[in-house]
Every structure is written in C-alpha cells, then in structure tokens.
C-alpha cells in the first residue's frame, strides 16, 4: 500500500473509530459496529483493510455460547503524526512491534516550486 | 522550524476555539482533493479552473472543496479578475502555513497555523508542543 493511501485510510471516519475502539481491549467486529455506529458490512471491510495495512491484528479467536467462532481485533497503531510545513506533507506512524515504516517521517507529495505572488 | 516563531509570539492570545471536531479538521487536510488544492494555492494565486486542470480534480468537486476550505479559513479569494471572455474569475491563495495532526493514546488532535498568525486548535490540550521534537 502506498503511503498516501495509508494516510487516507487512517483519517477515514470509520477507520478512525475502529482504531480508537480497539486501542485498549480487543473487540469483535459486531461489538465495534454496535458501539461505534458503523454499518456491519463497512465495518468488516474497513477492518480487513486495516488488517491488511498492518494497523490491526486479530488478537484472539473466541467461541460464542452459540458455538460460533468470533475474532477479536486489537489496534497495533500507537501514534500517528501528520505535519504540513512549508508546503510539504509528512507523516509518521508508530506501531507495536516491528514494522519498517514505524517511526520514520514519510514525505508525501510536495508543492511544485511556488510562483511569486504578484 | 515554524514552532519557534509561534512560541515567541506567545500564541496564547490568538488561539481560536473551534466547533469543528478534530476528525473533521484532519479530514480537511487528508482528503485527496483538499490536499491538492492546498498545495496548488500554496504561495500563489490560482483559479478553480486551473487547479482542476493541473491537478486532475473534477471541476464540480473542485468548486465544492474550495468552498469548504474557504469556509474553514484555510484558503481565501484574493482577487476577481476579468477573463478575455469577460467572465469574472476568482483567484485563491492558501492561508495555511503549518498544520499538525496527531493521533496518540487513542485521541486525535489537530492544530492549524494560518498566515495571519491565528492558531486554530481542535481536540484541546496542545500544551505539549515538544511532541514534535521526539
């Protein structure tokens, strides 16, 4: 996934809520959907996207009283910083565990050389 | 870096309270079209038509995003020039100098510094400005 897509994924309204929801305790998709008011299909889709990008992991698989298995997810993202200075966007992410983009400033598209203001 | 300047200004007096949520504020910046418009208008004057063509933004979306950014005070119309066809054309320039969006400990905060020196904070508690030096 490209860095720009990552920053977009992070600031998406649902992704944001999912990452916040799973910050402390692992939660199931159903629980996140109910408590944070995210349509269930969108919730599954976003969680898969976040898992694919390495922001979420399945922490536990539990069996419900009805005998169904249910995955509990927890957030791997510790912090994210987005900075815009002098016409340049930079992002930095920190994760639990090893990840090569962790803790590194990534420069996104910069403004083309500015024309003087007449 | 931009930070020293702000600290010397003693930004306490100019911090504006805002009704936007930190999430909404951060979306102003991270939305693909908005980010492109902010870059396009950085230190130059440019029309909506030109932004649309140069950055590949559909014209209607371009006008809509420009309006959103203008309402948020991040860009402004600096001139209305007359085209060769006799139509009026608005020229926009970016008011945004620096922006910081932090997600830490499950909380999102945003800070915008405008060219006018105004600082807008979203999500409260921005006292720990040394965060950036980590």
């Amino acid at each position: 996934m490209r860095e720009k897509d990552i920053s977009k994924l992070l600031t998406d309204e649902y992704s944001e809520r999912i990452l916040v929801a799973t910050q402390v305790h692992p939660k199931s998709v159903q629980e996140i959907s109910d408590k944070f008011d995210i349509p269930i299909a969108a919730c599954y889709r976003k969680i898969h996207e976040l898992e694919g990008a390495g922001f979420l992991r399945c922490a536990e698989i539990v069996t419900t009283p009805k005998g169904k298995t249910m995955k509990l997810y927890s957030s791997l993202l510790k912090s994210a910083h987005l900075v815009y200075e002098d016409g340049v966007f930079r992002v930095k992410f920190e994760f639990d565990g090893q990840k090569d983009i962790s803790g590194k400033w990534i420069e996104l598209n910069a403004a083309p050389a500015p024309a003087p203001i007449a | 870096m931009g930070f020293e300047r702000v600290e010397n200004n003693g930004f306490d007096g100019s911090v504006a309270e805002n009704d936007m949520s930190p999430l909404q504020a951060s979306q102003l910046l991270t939305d693909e079209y908005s980010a492109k418009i902010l870059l396009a208008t950085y230190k130059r004057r440019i029309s909506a038509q030109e932004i649309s063509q140069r950055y590949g933004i559909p014209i209607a979306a371009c006008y809509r995003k420009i309006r959103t950014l203008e309402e948020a005070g991040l860009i402004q119309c600096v001139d209305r020039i007359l085209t060769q066809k006799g139509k009026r054309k608005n020229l926009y320039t970016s008011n945004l100098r620096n922006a910081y969006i932090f997600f830490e400990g499950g909380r999102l905060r945003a800070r915008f510094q405008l060219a006018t020196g105004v600082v807008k904070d979203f999500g409260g508690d921005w006292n720990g400005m040394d965060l950036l030096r980590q």
Side-chain angles (χ1 to χ4, degrees), chain A residues 4 7-8 10-13 16-17 19-20 23 75 77-90 92 94 105 109-118, chain B residues 1-3 5 23 26-27 29-32 35-36 38-40 42-45 54-55 93-94 96-108 131-132 134:
Chain A
K4 219 169 120 191
S7 73
K8 236 165 106 183
L10 269 177
T11 48
D12 172 271
E13 190 182 349
E16 198 69 59
R17 288 191 217 163
L19 288 173
V20 172
Q23 197 76 21
S75 168
L77 183 74
K78 276 200 309 200
S79 67
H81 294 173
L82 184 133
V83 168
Y84 170 80
E85 280 174 337
D86 302 320
V88 180
F89 282 105
R90 289 176 301 145
K92 186 174 78 170
E94 273 160 45
W105 281 107
N109 52 333
I117 291 182
Chain B
M1 213 161 103
F3 262 98
R5 275 205 314 273
L23 185 63
S26 71
Q27 275 166 345
L29 243 77
T30 50
D31 172 86
E32 186 187 344
K36 281 181 177 171
L38 285 170
L39 292 177
Y42 181 70
K43 288 195 178 168
R44 64 154 76 78
R45 296 138 52 104
R54 276 207 207 168
Y55 291 83
T93 198
S94 172
L96 185 66
R97 283 298 159 260
N98 303 312
Y100 307 90
I101 295 169
F102 293 171
F103 172 75
E104 283 158 331
R107 282 185 53 216
L108 189 73
L131 283 169
L132 256 211
Q134 280 175 5

Side-chain angles (χ1 to χ4, degrees), chain B residues 12-132:
Chain B
D12 287 345
S14 57
V15 172
E17 270 302 315
N18 271 280
D19 44 6
M20 245 193 304
S21 79
L23 185 63
Q24 286 171 313
S26 71
Q27 275 166 345
L28 279 181
L29 243 77
T30 50
D31 172 86
E32 186 187 344
Y33 293 157
S34 300
K36 281 181 177 171
I37 293 170
L38 285 170
L39 292 177
T41 54
Y42 181 70
K43 288 195 178 168
R44 64 154 76 78
R45 296 138 52 104
I46 188 168
S47 70
Q49 193 71 49
E50 211 177 332
I51 296 172
S52 162
Q53 280 166 4
R54 276 207 207 168
Y55 291 83
I57 304 174
I59 189 69
C62 196
Y63 277 113
R64 192 176 63 239
K65 292 289 176 189
I66 284 176
R67 203 166 147 197
T68 311
L69 289 169
E70 202 178 7
E71 279 166 8
L74 299 190
I75 64 172
Q76 69 170 33
C77 175
V78 281
D79 204 356
R80 282 172 62 79
I81 58 166
L82 211 53
T83 64
Q84 283 166 341
K85 286 181 182 167
K87 269 175 67 181
R88 286 278 171 198
K89 187 164 84 171
N90 286 1
L91 294 184
Y92 296 92
T93 198
S94 172
N95 272 336
L96 185 66
R97 283 298 159 260
N98 303 312
Y100 307 90
I101 295 169
F102 293 171
F103 172 75
E104 283 158 331
R107 282 185 53 216
L108 189 73
R109 295 176 299 157
R111 160 166 279 196
F112 294 157
Q113 292 172 337
L114 304 184
T116 53
V118 171
V119 175
K120 293 188 181 190
D121 284 350
F122 308 89
D125 188 21
W126 270 91
N127 296 324
M129 288 309 275
D130 36 291
L131 283 169
L132 256 211

Side-chain angles (χ1 to χ4, degrees), chain A residues 8-36:
Chain A
K8 236 165 106 183
L9 177 59
L10 269 177
T11 48
D12 172 271
E13 190 182 349
Y14 292 156
S15 304
E16 198 69 59
R17 288 191 217 163
I18 294 169
L19 288 173
V20 172
T22 54
Q23 197 76 21
V24 186
H25 302 294
K27 284 197 177 65
S28 72
V29 181
Q30 191 62 56
E31 198 181 350
I32 297 168
S33 165
D34 289 347
K35 279 201 191 158
F36 291 84

Side-chain angles (χ1 to χ4, degrees), chain A residues 53-69:
Chain A
F55 294 131
L56 267 189
R57 71 184 173 92
C58 175
E60 218 179 309
I61 300 179
V62 295
T63 311
T64 62
K66 286 185 182 167
K68 269 175 67 182
T69 56

